[in-house]
Amino acid sequence: MHPTRPPASPALSRRSFLLGATGVGASLALAGCAGASGSASGPTTISFYVSKPEVLTYFDTLIAKFHAEQSAVRVVRDSTSNMSADFVRNNPPDLGCWNYNFSVVEFVERGALSDLSDMAEAKRINPDLTPLMNQTASFPGRTSAIPYAVAGASVLFSVDLFEKHGVEVPTTWDDLIAACKTFEAAGVSPFYNTYKDTWTIAQGMFDYSIGGMVDVPGLFRRLDAEGASVGSGSATSFEKDLEGPMAKMVELTKYSNKDASSRAYGDGNLGFSQGKGAMYLQGPWALNEIAKTNAKMRIGSFPLPMTNDPHDLKIRVNVDLALWIPEVSKKQEAARTFLRFLMRPEIQDKYNADNNTFGTTKDAPPTKNPALVGMQKYYDDAAFYLGVSQLIPSEIPVANYAQSIALGSAARPVLTQLDGDWSRLALRRS
C-alpha cells in the first residue's frame, strides 16, 4: 500500500472541478481551426488536457501561437474529460497538463503514462524535483511526467504592517511568537485565518506546522512500512510523530482573528488585503485575488518557523502542473512536438512568471515577484516538502481533522483517529 494516493490538494479541488462554458467554447473554436492550414495529407490533431480552469485562456493563447508557427500538428484543448473514464475506455487525451498529485497516482503506478526519459526536455529538469515526483507516484524505470510549474507556499505578510510595528521577518519559533505578541499589543491580528474552508487549514497551518518540524518523506516511508500496524503500539504513528507540531499549531491559533471560525477563503483574501491581519497562511494562488482589492499592497513571504533553529526553515511546495503522454496515445510524436514547444524556455519561463510559480528546469530564472522572493532561496536549496495533507489518501478526511484541531478539539484523539483510518485503509488495500 502506498499512502500517497493524493487527495485533491486544496489547490486541485479548487481549480479542477469548475469547467466553464468559456473553456468548452474555446476548445470547439480551436477544433474548428484545426486542419485549416496543414500539409497535403493534413495535420495530425491531438487532444491536450489542461486541469486548471484559471489558465485555460492562457494555454489557448499558446496553442494559437503554436498553430501560427507550424501546420503539421493541430491542438484541441480539452478541459472537460473524465480522466478515469477516458483511461478505462482506452481513449485518454494525447497530452496532459495536470496537477501532479493524488489524481495521477493510479495512472502512473499502473504504467499508463509513457516514458519521457529520452527527451531532452526531461534531462533539463532540476534533479531536486525528482524526489517530489517519486514521492507522489512513480513507475520503475520511467519518467512518467515532466514537471512544468511548482507552487511554493509559506507565510504571506504585510510589509507595511511589519515596518510600521518594527517587526523583523522571524526565523525562529521564539521570534515568531514575539512578533505575534507585538502585533497583538498593537491591536493588529497577527494571523488572518479562515477556518470555515477546511482546505485552507490543511494546506496552511496544518501542513506548515508539520513540515517545519518533521522530515515529511521520512515520516511517510515509516508509515508505509508500518502499514496496517500504525497505532499506539507502532514505532511510527500520526499520534506520536505529529503531537509536537499540533501542539504548536494550537499555540498559533491563539493569535488568529476572532472571527476565524466563520471566515472562508474569499474572506481571507479580502481581510488580508484590508490590513486586518499581519500574516496570512496561503499560497501564491491568493496573490491575484488579493490584488483585486488592493493592487498596491506590499506582500512578502517567509517559511513558518517551527523550531529555534533557522536551518530548519522550509517551504511547502506542490507540483502545480506536469506534462505527460499516455502510453496508448497513437499520436506520440505529435504530442511530443507540442510538449517540446511548451517546454521552450521562453514559453515555460513566461508561464511561471505570469502565474506566480517556480520554474522546474536547471536554468529557470528566479522569480521577480516581490511576494515570492522570500521563498526563492529555500526553493533553490531544495529546502521544501510536500504537504502532509497532500500525501494522505483522499479516503481519509484529514482536512476536517485539521479543522477540528484548529477549532479547539484536543489533538491527541484526532491523531489517534487518523492512525485508525490509516491502518484500516492499509489493511483494505493489502
Side-chain angles (χ1 to χ4, degrees), residues 34 87 175 288 339 362 364 369:
F87 270 97
D175 288 346
N288 290 338
L339 186 155
K362 298 172 186 173
N369 187 332

mmCIF file of all heavy atoms in Angstrom, residues 34 87 175 288 339 362 364 369:
data_model
loop_
_atom_site.group_PDB
_atom_site.id
_atom_site.type_symbol
_atom_site.label_atom_id
_atom_site.label_comp_id
_atom_site.label_asym_id
_atom_site.label_seq_id
_atom_site.Cartn_x
_atom_site.Cartn_y
_atom_site.Cartn_z
ATOM 1 N N ALA A 34 -8.565 23.595 -36.460
ATOM 2 C CA ALA A 34 -7.657 22.511 -36.784
ATOM 3 C C ALA A 34 -7.855 22.066 -38.221
ATOM 4 O O ALA A 34 -8.952 21.883 -38.700
ATOM 5 C CB ALA A 34 -7.901 21.335 -35.827
ATOM 6 N N PHE A 87 -9.360 6.783 -19.496
ATOM 7 C CA PHE A 87 -8.331 5.750 -19.485
ATOM 8 C C PHE A 87 -8.974 4.364 -19.570
ATOM 9 O O PHE A 87 -8.462 3.473 -20.249
ATOM 10 C CB PHE A 87 -7.458 5.869 -18.225
ATOM 11 C CG PHE A 87 -6.265 6.768 -18.409
ATOM 12 C CD1 PHE A 87 -6.304 8.092 -17.991
ATOM 13 C CD2 PHE A 87 -5.100 6.299 -19.001
ATOM 14 C CE1 PHE A 87 -5.204 8.935 -18.151
ATOM 15 C CE2 PHE A 87 -3.993 7.122 -19.172
ATOM 16 C CZ PHE A 87 -4.042 8.448 -18.751
ATOM 17 N N ASP A 175 11.088 33.951 17.822
ATOM 18 C CA ASP A 175 10.899 35.216 17.096
ATOM 19 C C ASP A 175 9.458 35.342 16.596
ATOM 20 O O ASP A 175 8.873 36.430 16.614
ATOM 21 C CB ASP A 175 11.843 35.284 15.881
ATOM 22 C CG ASP A 175 13.293 35.500 16.283
ATOM 23 O OD1 ASP A 175 13.538 35.854 17.455
ATOM 24 O OD2 ASP A 175 14.172 35.317 15.414
ATOM 25 N N ASN A 288 -3.281 36.979 -6.772
ATOM 26 C CA ASN A 288 -4.113 37.709 -7.741
ATOM 27 C C ASN A 288 -5.449 38.111 -7.130
ATOM 28 O O ASN A 288 -6.003 39.159 -7.465
ATOM 29 C CB ASN A 288 -4.328 36.859 -8.994
ATOM 30 C CG ASN A 288 -3.060 36.698 -9.813
ATOM 31 O OD1 ASN A 288 -2.142 37.505 -9.700
ATOM 32 N ND2 ASN A 288 -3.004 35.658 -10.626
ATOM 33 N N LEU A 339 4.663 19.191 -26.723
ATOM 34 C CA LEU A 339 5.332 19.224 -25.414
ATOM 35 C C LEU A 339 6.643 20.007 -25.511
ATOM 36 O O LEU A 339 6.959 20.831 -24.638
ATOM 37 C CB LEU A 339 5.584 17.798 -24.917
ATOM 38 C CG LEU A 339 6.140 17.626 -23.497
ATOM 39 C CD1 LEU A 339 5.753 16.247 -22.935
ATOM 40 C CD2 LEU A 339 7.655 17.790 -23.429
ATOM 41 N N LYS A 362 16.839 23.309 -14.814
ATOM 42 C CA LYS A 362 18.104 23.667 -14.155
ATOM 43 C C LYS A 362 18.439 25.141 -14.354
ATOM 44 O O LYS A 362 19.127 25.741 -13.519
ATOM 45 C CB LYS A 362 19.233 22.794 -14.717
ATOM 46 C CG LYS A 362 19.063 21.303 -14.469
ATOM 47 C CD LYS A 362 20.117 20.511 -15.234
ATOM 48 C CE LYS A 362 19.883 19.020 -15.117
ATOM 49 N NZ LYS A 362 20.795 18.223 -15.976
ATOM 50 N N ALA A 364 16.167 27.647 -14.910
ATOM 51 C CA ALA A 364 14.993 28.521 -14.758
ATOM 52 C C ALA A 364 15.393 29.806 -14.033
ATOM 53 O O ALA A 364 16.131 29.761 -13.034
ATOM 54 C CB ALA A 364 13.902 27.800 -13.970
ATOM 55 N N ASN A 369 8.708 38.309 -8.674
ATOM 56 C CA ASN A 369 7.561 38.764 -7.898
ATOM 57 C C ASN A 369 8.014 39.020 -6.458
ATOM 58 O O ASN A 369 8.439 38.086 -5.766
ATOM 59 C CB ASN A 369 6.457 37.706 -7.931
ATOM 60 C CG ASN A 369 5.178 38.186 -7.284
ATOM 61 O OD1 ASN A 369 5.194 39.031 -6.389
ATOM 62 N ND2 ASN A 369 4.062 37.653 -7.739
#
